[in-house]
Amino acid sequence: MSDTWGLKLADPLFEKLTVIGCGLIGSSLLRVARRNNLARQLVAADVSPAVCVRVRELGLADHATSDLAVAVAGADLVILCVPVGANESVGRTIGPALAPGTIVSDVGSVKGAVVAALSPHMPAGVHLIPAHPVAGTEHSGPDAGFATLFLNRWCILTPPVDADESAVKKLSDFWTAAGSNVETMTSEHHDLVLAITSHVPHLIAYNIVGTAADLEVVTQSEVIKFSAGGFRDFTRIAASDPTMWRDVFLNNKDAVLEILGRFTEDLSALQRMIRWGDGDGLFTLFTRTRNIRRSIIESGQETAAPDFGRHQSDPQ
Ligand code: NAP
C-alpha cells in the first residue's frame, strides 16, 4: 500500500473545506483531507478556543477560528462534525454566511433529526447532503483523530429526494478519496439500521457496566479482576463520549425504542429457555449468532484477532 493508499488527488475536489467541530471525527477529516489533497484550503472551526489552539499546534488546518460564520465564508464544502444536538445552533449561525452552490454536510450518527435541525437554516442554492461515516473510536478531541480512520469503512449518504445529483456525486467522491466505501439510503432507513447495529449495542454496554457498578454481592475489584470473561469488551464501548451518546439517544428515539422493544422480547425468550432448560434452543441461537460474526469478519468489517484488531480504529 502506498503512503496515501493510492488515493492522493492530483487536483483537489474542493477549493475551501471548512470543518466545524474539531474532535475525533473533524480532526480525522482534516488529517485525511490534507494527506490526500482533497481541498486546496482547510479551515477549522470550533466553539472551544482551546480546541482551536490545539488544532493550530497540530498544524491540522490553514486557519482555525471560533467564529463559525467567518469560517464558512467562501467555502465550497462545509462539514459539521459537532454532537448531534449542536447542529441546530451551528446551522442558525452559519446559514446567513453560506454562499449559493456550497455543499453542507455533517457526520452525525443520527440523520432524520439532523436534517430537521439544519434544513430551515439553509439558504436557497445551498446543497444539504447529510452523511455518516461508520467509523470511530471511544476517544474524543483533536488529538484522538487519525488520517486512516475512514479507510475501508462505510460512509452512508442520506441525500433528500430532490438533491442536486452533481453535488451528491462530488460529496461521494470526497468520501471515496478519504478511503471510505460509500452507500446511499434514506435518513429514516439509516436511523433504523444504526439503531440495531450501533445505538442499542451501546445502550446495552452502558447498562451492563452500570449494573455491574451497582452490584452489592460482587465487589468492584472482582469485576475489574475477572473482566476478561466478556465484560471488558463492554467497558470499551461504555467508555464512549457521554455528550455524543446522550444526543444520539435523544435524537433517534423512535428507532431505538422500536429495536429495544424487539430486543426485550427476545431477551425474555432467552430467559425462558434458561429457566426451562431448553439447551437445544440456546444452542441453535448461539450457532446462528456465531455465523453472523463470521460474516462480519469475511466482509472485512472486523478481524479475527484476539484483541479484535482494535489498536486504534473501531467502527461505531
Ligand atoms: P468530539 O471528539 O467530542 O468532537 C466534537 C467537537 O465539536 C468538540 O471539539 C466540541 O467542542 C465541538 N463542538 C461542540 N459543540 C459545538 C458547536 N456548537 N459549534 C462548534 N463546535 C462544537 O466528538 P466526535 O466523536 O468527533 O463526534 C462528532 C460527531 O461525529 C457527532 O455528531 C457524532 O455523532 C459523529 N460520529 C462520531 C463517531 C465516533 O465514534 N465518535 C462515529 C461516527 C460519527 P467541546 O469539546 O468544547 O464541546
Side-chain angles (χ1 to χ4, degrees):
M1 198 179 289
S2 74
D3 184 41
T4 56
W5 331 300
L7 294 169
K8 182 163 184 162
L9 303 179
D11 290 311
L13 282 164
F14 292 92
E15 287 302 313
K16 176 175 170 181
L17 163 64
T18 299
V19 170
I20 301 182
C22 301
L24 169 74
I25 302 292
S27 74
S28 296
L29 257 183
L30 288 167
R31 285 174 170 96
V32 71
R34 173 88 86 208
R35 179 169 167 159
N36 287 4
N37 194 29
L38 305 186
R40 207 174 299 282
Q41 190 193 357
L42 300 181
V43 173
D46 199 290
V47 272
S48 159
V51 169
C52 292
V53 168
R54 191 63 189 137
V55 165
R56 280 184 215 114
E57 285 168 359
L58 292 167
L60 297 180
D62 301 308
H63 183 58
T65 175
S66 293
D67 190 330
L68 309 190
V70 165
V72 302
D76 48 353
L77 176 61
V78 176
I79 304 186
L80 277 54
C81 303
V82 297
V84 167
N87 282 288
E88 206 275 333
S89 76
V90 173
R92 191 169 346 107
T93 306
I94 65 171
L98 294 167
T102 304
I103 296 175
V104 175
S105 190
D106 76 310
V107 295
S109 308
V110 176
K111 297 276 57 95
V114 170
V115 174
L118 287 177
S119 298
H121 303 296
M122 296 297 110
V126 167
H127 308 295
L128 175 62
I129 304 166
H132 176 204
V134 188
T137 74
E138 65 276 26
H139 304 297
S140 309
D143 286 279
F146 50 99
T148 53
L149 178 63
F150 311 110
L151 187 61
N152 294 331
R153 298 296 182 203
W154 287 101
C155 180
I156 302 172
L157 304 190
T158 64
V161 277
D162 57 350
D164 180 273
E165 278 180 30
S166 64
V168 176
K169 161 100 175 55
K170 220 170 160 195
L171 188 66
S172 173
D173 289 347
F174 175 88
W175 279 105
T176 303
S180 294
N181 304 313
V182 175
E183 175 120 351
T184 300
M185 61 181 71
T186 64
S187 51
E188 294 77 18
H189 191 62
H190 166 279
D191 289 353
L192 201 56
V193 171
L194 269 292
I196 181 65
T197 56
S198 173
H199 305 169
V200 169
H202 274 77
L203 200 67
I204 293 166
Y206 282 124
N207 190 48
I208 198 163
V209 174
T211 302
D214 291 343
L215 280 181
E216 280 142 18
V217 284
V218 180
T219 65
Q220 291 257 355
S221 64
E222 284 173 312
V223 170
I224 293 164
K225 186 170 163 187
F226 301 115
S227 66
F231 184 74
R232 192 179 56 182
D233 296 324
F234 283 110
T235 62
R236 187 190 61 76
I237 298 177
S240 298
D241 190 72
T243 305
M244 169 186 159
W245 284 97
R246 176 203 61 198
D247 284 8
V248 166
F249 292 114
L250 294 181
N251 287 281
N252 197 19
K253 201 171 171 173
D254 293 347
V256 167
L257 292 178
E258 163 74 23
I259 298 296
L260 214 47
R262 294 284 294 263
F263 175 83
T264 313
E265 281 173 28
D266 292 342
L267 197 60
S268 297
L270 270 175
Q271 208 174 351
R272 200 174 313 114
M273 284 184 212
I274 294 169
R275 188 180 308 286
W276 295 105
D278 181 2
D280 289 347
L282 292 172
F283 189 85
T284 304
L285 175 68
F286 299 165
T287 306
R288 265 174 55 211
T289 56
R290 175 179 258 199
N291 289 339
I292 288 174
R293 163 125 188 115
R294 286 187 179 141
S295 314
I296 293 171
I297 293 168
E298 278 160 24
S299 73
Q301 294 299 302
E302 177 63 292
T303 83
D307 67 350
F308 301 100
R310 281 188 184 119
H311 295 302
Q312 52 177 9
S313 159
D314 174 54
Q316 292 193 2

